[in-house]
Amino acid sequence: MEITSERIDDIPVIVEWLKQMELAICIDQKLKEPHGNHEGLSYGQLSVLLLTYIITQSDHRLSAVEPWVEAFLLQSPYAQI
């Protein structure tokens, strides 16, 4: 038997809470598909990412999200939103 431990902080809790609310699905159903050149996350997934940032950092500036994602999410084991 292998036991692994993982740090529990607010980010995975908030992401899971937003997933249970099916926020990304609701947003994706209401908004049109992105244009043909769009790659990556859907509008719903982006909204979950932005709301997670706003809730955890108490900051609504869009310009600060990219460095936060690079620092906290891309290097974590729960990097899938």
Side-chain angles (χ1 to χ4, degrees), residues 3 16 32 50 60 65 72:
I3 299 174
E16 186 59 33
K32 295 179 182 177
L50 181 59
H60 65 277
V65 176
F72 292 101

Side-chain angles (χ1 to χ4, degrees), residues 15-61:
V15 169
E16 186 59 33
W17 175 60
L18 292 171
K19 282 183 178 180
Q20 288 179 2
M21 290 175 46
E22 297 183 350
L23 181 70
I25 295 169
C26 291
I27 290 174
D28 287 336
Q29 287 175 349
K30 297 293 179 185
L31 295 178
K32 295 179 182 177
E33 290 288 322
H35 58 78
N37 294 333
H38 178 81
E39 293 180 3
L41 300 175
S42 70
Y43 291 140
Q45 292 169 322
L46 287 172
S47 65
V48 168
L49 181 67
L50 181 59
L51 284 171
T52 302
Y53 173 77
I54 291 170
I55 293 168
T56 60
Q57 304 301 306
S58 299
D59 183 7
H60 65 277
R61 295 175 301 134

